[in-house]
Amino acid sequence: MKISVLTVCRNAAGTIGHTLDSFFAQEHEDKELIVVDGASTDETLSIIRSYPQEQMVVVSEPDRGMYDALNKALGLFSGDAVGVLNSDDAYHDASVLGRLATALATSDIAIGHLDFVKDHESKALVRRWTATPRPPRGFRSGWMPAHPTFYVRRGVAEQVGAFDLSFAIASDYDWMLRATELFGFGSVVVDHILVDMMHGGASTRGLTSYISHNIESLYSRRRWLNSGIVDFAVFSKPARKLSQFFVVGLQNRN
């Protein structure tokens, strides 16, 4: 199974090397990396072009933001399955794509665990997102997968379509909701940490980003799931994230 990995970036010279290192270290050989760069003005492109180009497609041009770039990447991939690796994230170890290929052989969607880390040098753990099977009420219950661990077969990506550019920071949430709730594709949990994600991205910078993401997520549920002005997930979705900090706190005390 060929797995396509989509990476979008702009002025990511400080982190893109970790991302590329982790991709090329993958033991699963049938893979490709689609990089869509938003016309970086730093050394990002030079770093990208210093890596082997045989398994890469690189595009650099202005865009309208991350989700516009992801839509461009969706139009370029050639694999049997696809997922996103952000330009400040890295695969947890060399086995990740192989584990995903095994899971996707029998399921439309595969998800896994994710570590939020302070940086890729120390790998100091900030919180851990533990993937769980989709409950009966799915996104209505506050459940959601970690998008950097969300890999789908080609048919899923083709049916779900483009990321919605009306969302500033929650279009990935909306995309996963459509895949699982509207189209009803089944998912399987890979019981392994798949991605180390740098804490402090667009949706994790602080209280304002958390609130904005929650508001946009509610809008998505209202659009597709006919949720009310306020629904249960408004409270349960943030509560699930708070529990991730609690688990790490217990680990650090032991």
Side-chain angles (χ1 to χ4, degrees):
M1 173 180 285
K2 183 177 182 178
I3 299 183
S4 299
V5 179
L6 313 182
T7 296
V8 302
C9 58
R10 187 175 189 278
N11 294 340
T15 58
I16 191 72
H18 297 290
T19 305
L20 297 177
D21 286 343
S22 73
F23 171 81
F24 284 105
Q26 291 301 297
E27 296 163 351
H28 185 77
E29 295 184 357
D30 199 3
K31 60 184 183 287
E32 71 172 356
L33 182 65
I34 310 296
V35 180
V36 177
D37 171 72
S40 288
T41 57
D42 64 0
E43 297 301 312
T44 298
L45 272 178
S46 297
I47 294 170
I48 293 169
R49 288 170 176 155
S50 70
Y51 285 78
Q53 300 295 296
E54 292 79 10
Q55 292 181 307
M56 296 177 67
V57 175
V58 180
V59 175
S60 182
E61 61 188 21
D63 56 50
R64 292 179 288 168
M66 176 177 66
Y67 297 123
D68 182 37
L70 280 174
N71 285 338
K72 292 179 183 181
L74 280 174
L76 295 172
F77 84 91
S78 64
D80 305 298
V82 63
V84 175
L85 184 64
N86 297 315
S87 61
D88 53 358
D89 300 340
Y91 290 120
H92 186 70
D93 58 37
S95 72
V96 171
L97 290 186
R99 293 173 186 270
L100 286 165
T102 299
L104 289 166
T106 57
S107 181
D108 292 314
I109 300 171
I111 62 176
H113 313 320
L114 177 145
D115 275 357
F116 287 89
V117 298
K118 182 179 178 181
D119 55 68
H120 290 299
E121 286 76 23
S122 70
K123 296 292 185 182
L125 185 62
V126 178
R127 64 181 168 109
R128 175 165 293 161
W129 189 313
T130 301
T132 58
R134 178 184 176 275
R137 286 177 53 81
F139 278 71
R140 293 176 176 87
S141 70
W143 175 86
M144 64 172 286
H147 185 241
T149 75
F150 192 86
Y151 279 69
V152 305
R153 295 182 65 91
R154 169 174 281 276
V156 177
E158 290 175 344
Q159 282 199 251
V160 177
F163 288 87
D164 187 337
L165 301 188
S166 69
F167 293 97
I169 60 174
S171 192
D172 47 359
Y173 176 95
D174 178 77
W175 203 94
M176 294 188 294
L177 183 152
R178 285 185 278 146
T180 57
E181 305 289 343
L182 294 190
F183 293 99
F185 289 110
S187 60
V188 64
V189 173
V190 178
D191 188 14
H192 189 77
I193 300 166
L194 301 183
V195 174
D196 295 333
M197 181 176 183
M198 285 266 289
H199 193 262
S203 62
T204 61
R205 288 195 182 108
L207 182 60
T208 300
S209 64
Y210 281 117
I211 292 173
S212 297
H213 193 277
N214 215 31
I215 291 172
E216 288 193 3
S217 299
L218 173 61
Y219 179 74
S220 176
R221 294 192 300 275
R222 290 174 63 184
R223 176 191 290 179
W224 302 116
L225 305 180
N226 296 315
S227 295
I229 296 175
V230 176
D231 64 0
F232 176 73
V234 166
F235 306 101
S236 59
K237 180 173 168 287
R240 287 172 180 261
K241 291 185 177 181
L242 288 173
S243 68
Q244 296 166 6
F245 289 100
F246 179 71
V247 170
V248 172
L250 288 179
Q251 291 176 338
N252 291 338
R253 290 178 61 184
N254 294 333

